[in-house]
Amino acid sequence: MKSMKFPKRYLIVLLTFVSTCVCYIERVGFSIAYTVAADAAGINQSSKGTILSTFYYGYACSQVPGGWAAQKIGGRQVLLLSFVLWSSTCFLVPLDPNRVTILVVARLLVGVAQGFIFPSIHTVLAQWVPPHERSRSVSLTTSGMYLGAAMGMLVLPSLVKFRGPQSVFIAEAALGVIWSFFWFKYATDPPRSEHQKATATGFGESLLPTKASQKIKVENGGTTARTSEIPWKRILASRPVWAIVVNNFTFHYALYVLMNWLPTYFELGLQLSLQEMGSSKMLPYFNMFIFSNIGGVLADHLITKRIMSVTKTRKFLNTVGFIVSSLALMALPIFRTSAGAIFCSSVALGFLALGRAGFAVNHMDIAPKYAGIVMGVSNTAGTLAGIIGVDMTGKLLEAAKAEYSDLSSPESWRTVFVIPGLL
């Protein structure tokens, strides 16, 4: 890499991209494997929704502590620890829908461990990435989620079919261990020259001013800045932070409902087999991967070429992405063919990802020094959306099943998709 003059920050961004990819393979994988196992065991939709949402309780509890730990200990170390913890849990836990207590505890543990990941990543990226590369770097990293979901939807149903649901857990644990090895081997904290570029005031850091940092002596005679206290009051009283929080909640409500219930919609709502759908079932998530990176590159272009201010760029992409996604979500139950449902869900998720180039990068715009903390606060809201949306969707479907006798009618699913559309 030295001979190719490959900047170290690019390697860091690439590794964080792979980390989010692996995490979402795990999340989609559990949804697919558990759905197959639960349906075979005769578990009802409401109970399925409870188990599927358990992950998000643990995930919500560790978001802010994750940001605090990344700030105090270091994002690099916390990220490695979280991967080791959730990979170990996946490897050790049996997938038996009738052993509810074990599944609940396991999903809580995986949720807690993965809750440290995104605050840690934002802390690492804020240290390594200069302001003019933030949009595309964060978009590339977060697009790993969607590529991981696409890969999971493509490969894992066949793995379940030929090797059984438990094989998914083993495969996910192996991926987590492999990534941990590469992160341990290649990831480092930035040298001071890179750190100064990345943590320059950038775009609007003054929105969350900090106390003057104190200078302390180090052994070689130089000085370094002591980490200033986290300005919790300013963070929680900041209207820009709350704008990010609201966007995060609405984004993740739609994303988590689709991620956890789209397999059920294809199987029961449209009477389609995931195995027989082939590669088409991965298109909604692959579309998110494409649009996320388009949004990041477009945002950096609009900002660096001074076509729009940073604030207008964030608001423009956020608004366009969410409006188009909203319309597509509410139209989804109208489409009764495989091609129509894939197209509509692809538009919905693709433009959601485009909107992420607005709010999801804004943590670094307003508070680069505390990007992990702000990410933890906003991602807590996003996780609460997962808890509410995934669990409530199961109850809505159980009620629809009682009213319409099955889940094959559009009316059974209309409320499921209208709610995130309206949000």
Side-chain angles (χ1 to χ4, degrees):
M1 289 182 183
K2 288 182 179 178
S3 63
M4 295 172 60
K5 296 184 179 179
F6 187 81
K8 183 64 177 282
R9 68 181 183 276
Y10 291 176
L11 176 62
I12 296 295
V13 171
L14 180 61
L15 285 171
T16 58
F17 161 77
V18 176
S19 75
T20 61
C21 184
V22 171
C23 285
Y24 270 67
I25 289 176
E26 190 281 328
R27 296 191 200 183
V28 169
F30 179 81
S31 175
I32 292 170
Y34 175 72
T35 296
V36 171
D39 288 345
I43 306 296
N44 64 38
Q45 302 303 316
S46 180
S47 297
K48 282 170 61 178
T50 300
I51 294 294
L52 289 170
S53 66
T54 299
F55 167 91
Y56 300 105
Y57 286 93
Y59 197 63
C61 290
S62 58
Q63 291 292 320
V64 174
W68 177 87
Q71 184 78 23
K72 294 296 183 181
I73 302 170
R76 178 173 59 88
Q77 296 90 331
V78 174
L79 187 55
L80 178 62
L81 177 62
S82 66
F83 255 77
V84 171
L85 287 175
W86 76 252
S87 300
S88 302
T89 305
C90 284
F91 181 76
L92 296 171
V93 174
L95 179 56
D96 184 350
N98 294 311
R99 301 173 72 177
V100 176
T101 303
I102 292 178
L103 271 181
V104 166
V105 172
R107 293 312 290 167
L108 281 173
L109 287 175
V110 173
V112 168
Q114 290 203 13
F116 283 79
I117 289 173
F118 282 94
S120 300
I121 286 174
H122 272 67
T123 300
V124 170
L125 294 182
Q127 291 174 336
W128 273 102
V129 179
H132 66 279
E133 294 179 1
R134 280 180 187 153
S135 297
R136 58 182 179 268
S137 296
V138 173
S139 293
L140 177 62
T141 293
T142 55
S143 72
M145 302 187 302
Y146 320 131
L147 184 62
M151 292 168 62
M153 287 293 286
L154 178 64
V155 175
L156 297 181
S158 297
L159 186 62
V160 171
K161 181 179 180 180
F162 293 110
R163 295 289 183 179
Q166 188 67 46
S167 63
V168 172
F169 279 26
I170 305 300
E172 291 166 353
L175 289 173
V177 169
I178 292 169
W179 182 89
S180 298
F181 168 77
F182 281 102
W183 184 254
F184 179 78
K185 185 173 177 62
Y186 293 112
T188 62
D189 291 325
R192 180 156 298 277
S193 58
E194 290 285 342
H195 187 80
Q196 288 172 342
K197 280 189 273 184
T199 56
T201 49
F203 305 127
E205 185 181 1
S206 59
L207 287 174
L208 290 176
T210 62
K211 294 179 181 178
S213 57
Q214 298 174 323
K215 300 288 185 180
I216 57 174
K217 291 183 179 180
V218 292
E219 291 182 6
N220 62 5
T223 61
T224 184
R226 188 194 304 272
T227 303
S228 54
E229 291 185 13
I230 299 168
W232 288 107
K233 282 187 177 180
R234 292 185 182 274
I235 289 173
L236 296 177
S238 168
R239 285 186 295 176
V241 168
W242 280 100
I244 298 170
V245 167
V246 171
N247 275 274
N248 206 315
F249 182 93
T250 55
F251 173 91
H252 281 100
Y253 188 103
L255 177 63
Y256 288 148
V257 165
L258 288 175
M259 181 176 295
N260 285 277
W261 290 103
L262 207 53
T264 303
Y265 179 64
F266 289 142
E267 294 267 7
L268 301 181
L270 300 179
Q271 306 293 307
L272 299 169
S273 168
L274 286 177
Q275 285 80 19
E276 294 173 2
M277 287 178 69
S279 60
S280 64
K281 60 182 174 289
M282 68 173 277
L283 290 178
Y285 300 110
F286 189 72
N287 210 40
M288 288 194 92
F289 169 72
I290 298 296
F291 272 72
S292 178
N293 286 291
I294 289 174
V297 172
L298 180 58
D300 278 347
H301 175 75
L302 292 174
I303 292 167
T304 56
K305 297 296 183 182
R306 301 187 183 277
I307 298 171
M308 286 186 181
S309 67
V310 176
T311 302
K312 287 183 178 178
T313 297
R314 302 290 181 233
K315 290 182 177 181
F316 171 71
L317 291 173
N318 213 114
T319 304
V320 171
F322 276 35
I323 287 177
V324 176
S325 180
S326 172
L327 296 174
L329 280 165
M330 291 190 280
L332 184 54
I334 299 172
F335 293 85
R336 305 302 299 161
T337 64
S338 172
I342 290 292
F343 171 77
C344 206
S345 56
S346 295
V347 171
L349 288 173
F351 276 86
L352 261 186
L354 183 75
R356 197 178 177 111
F359 76 91
V361 192
N362 205 220
H363 308 83
M364 295 185 189
D365 296 332
I366 67 170
K369 287 185 179 178
Y370 303 104
I373 295 287
V374 179
M375 181 62 181
V377 171
S378 73
N379 231 24
T380 300
T383 310
L384 290 175
I387 294 171
I388 296 167
V390 175
D391 190 30
M392 186 169 68
T393 298
K395 291 177 169 57
L396 288 171
L397 291 175
E398 201 60 36
K401 187 177 180 181
E403 183 175 353
Y404 300 109
S405 74
D406 62 23
L407 296 176
S408 61
S409 66
E411 290 77 15
S412 303
W413 292 87
R414 183 163 289 122
T415 306
V416 169
F417 297 122
V418 165
I419 290 173
L422 290 176
L423 285 174

